[in-house]
Amino acid sequence: RPFKRKNILSSNFSMTHIKEVHYVDIVTAANVGKPRKTCLLAEFYICQNGISIVVIIDGVCNNGFQFQTFINECAKTRITVIRFDYRGHGRSDDVPIGCEGLSLDECADDARRVLEYFYEKHGLGMKKSEKKVTVVCYSLGAQVALTFASDERNEDVVNGIAFVNGTFDPAFHGVFGIALGDFVAKSLKNSKVLFAIVVCWLQVHMFMLSLFPFLSSVIARFFVKCDSKSFRQFWKHCRRVQCKAYLSLALDAHANSKLEVIEWLESKRAVPMLCIFGTDDKLVNVSRSIETVKALAPSTEIETVQGGCHALLVHEKFKHKVALRLVNFCSNAAFDIDSKSLNLVLG
């Protein structure tokens, strides 16, 4: 990617936080030939006297822009934030030729490797208890976060998970419904030719949408209710997305829903969890998701934002409330405090 930089960029982000941009080399196994190095972009918003660490796991087709308000609020506290771009997204490398597409396991493993890289740079002298992290995820990133949390190598690492419009159902059910979603996923999985055609079609259309803001804003209104200005960065980022990575990750999330992990986190680990849903989300079946989470993990904090859409994190009306609620949850998770007892919930 032409905008890659080899050197580390560091700058003052706020009075208490320093922002660092790193490029993390990941060795990727190839189906043919020698393993290849994949370079991931990682951003660290570091508080020198921080009390907790947050790892952001984004949804597909995003490059962190939706979490900017949340990051800004964290910069007013003593929370250190870590985020990275998936392979084929933002400023990270594409999935190499000769490799299969992106999977939940690969994304979760990349998150772990970025976290290990952070500890190598800034973890000297940190106690084991200080290396615990709270995971904040969005949309399909919920499946990646659950995969990350279920990894035995992370057993003592995660102290809380917050889901914003989390996708808990098979990925294609939200867009197409159950029957049609299963049919589409099965067809794409069984036919490499159809998969390649859809990838090319998506690549062309996403690039075109990034060039015509008016057209993209009209299409966006079918899925989200926020103004086009708030969502403009999404369309700008679309031209950078490798659709092979995006579609293969969605297919893997459809086939390998991680609902059993929610129950395991509740019963075996007692990890605090927060779910925030917009009541008007058109990409997530909110009522079914709430019922599922309540059945599997009754102690999970579930909050709904009346009138909120799938773009809760950038919607002008809701983004600050949601960001503050997430900051509150992350701070409490670091000290094992039940935020319900503080009566700090979304209105």
Side-chain angles (χ1 to χ4, degrees), residues 79-346:
I79 296 175
T80 291
V81 179
I82 300 170
R83 64 157 299 272
F84 68 101
D85 288 339
Y86 292 136
R87 306 180 195 195
H89 291 65
R91 286 173 283 172
S92 290
D93 282 348
D94 286 342
V95 175
I97 297 172
C99 294
E100 296 293 333
L102 204 55
S103 68
L104 294 174
D105 287 336
E106 284 177 318
C107 290
D109 200 43
D110 286 348
R112 176 174 176 79
R113 293 183 191 186
V114 168
L115 185 59
E116 289 175 344
Y117 178 88
F118 172 81
Y119 290 145
E120 289 174 7
K121 299 294 181 182
H122 301 285
L124 187 64
M126 291 177 66
K127 299 177 182 177
K128 187 176 180 180
S129 60
E130 295 173 333
K131 291 186 176 183
K132 291 192 174 185
V133 301
T134 307
V135 178
V136 177
C137 56
Y138 167 70
S139 191
L140 198 63
Q143 300 286 356
V144 179
L146 291 172
T147 306
F148 175 82
S150 64
D151 190 327
E152 61 181 11
R153 295 172 298 175
N154 302 325
E155 188 169 341
D156 297 322
V157 173
V158 179
N159 61 18
I161 308 178
F163 306 91
V164 181
N165 289 116
T167 302
F168 298 111
D169 290 333
F172 286 81
H173 286 181
V175 179
F176 299 107
I178 296 177
L180 182 58
D182 288 339
F183 173 77
V184 171
K186 184 178 180 180
S187 300
L188 290 170
K189 185 177 181 180
N190 293 338
S191 174
K192 291 184 178 180
V193 174
L194 178 62
F195 180 86
I197 291 172
V198 173
V199 165
C200 292
W201 182 86
L202 284 171
Q203 203 76 61
V204 171
H205 280 73
M206 291 176 80
F207 179 76
M208 295 300 292
L209 288 171
S210 70
L211 298 178
F212 300 102
F214 173 76
L215 179 60
S216 60
S217 65
V218 171
I219 294 176
R221 290 192 182 100
F222 287 97
F223 303 102
V224 296
K225 296 172 66 176
C226 65
D227 60 274
S228 57
K229 182 180 178 181
S230 299
F231 220 60
R232 192 174 298 160
Q233 290 187 61
F234 173 82
W235 298 113
K236 286 184 178 180
H237 173 247
C238 279
R239 73 182 73 180
R240 299 181 180 179
V241 174
Q242 182 193 23
C243 288
K244 172 187 174 181
Y246 150 58
L247 189 58
S248 58
L249 179 58
L251 280 172
D252 191 49
H254 184 90
N256 299 294
S257 180
K258 300 291 181 178
L259 290 178
E260 73 280 358
V261 178
I262 298 178
E263 186 175 19
W264 176 76
L265 289 171
E266 167 92 356
S267 60
K268 303 296 183 182
R269 295 281 315 285
V271 173
M273 290 180 281
L274 167 68
C275 291
I276 301 176
F277 295 101
T279 57
D280 294 351
D281 192 332
K282 295 182 180 180
L283 298 178
V284 172
N285 189 316
V286 176
S287 59
R288 187 165 66 228
S289 296
I290 291 176
E291 289 176 5
T292 299
V293 173
K294 282 183 176 179
L296 295 175
S299 67
T300 300
E301 299 177 58
I302 300 176
E303 299 177 18
T304 56
V305 179
Q306 194 65 36
C309 62
H310 197 66
L312 275 180
L313 292 166
V314 294
H315 197 294
E316 283 296 330
K317 184 178 179 181
F318 308 118
K319 64 181 183 181
H320 292 289
K321 289 183 179 179
V322 173
L324 289 172
R325 181 64 183 94
L326 291 172
V327 169
N328 170 255
F329 174 81
C330 295
S331 299
N332 294 336
F335 292 102
D336 196 22
I337 300 173
D338 183 0
S339 58
K340 286 181 178 179
S341 64
L342 299 180
N343 197 32
L344 292 172
V345 297
L346 291 168

Side-chain angles (χ1 to χ4, degrees), residues 10-15 17-19:
S10 180
S11 61
N12 291 327
F13 184 72
S14 70
M15 294 291 291
H17 286 64
I18 296 173
K19 177 183 178 180

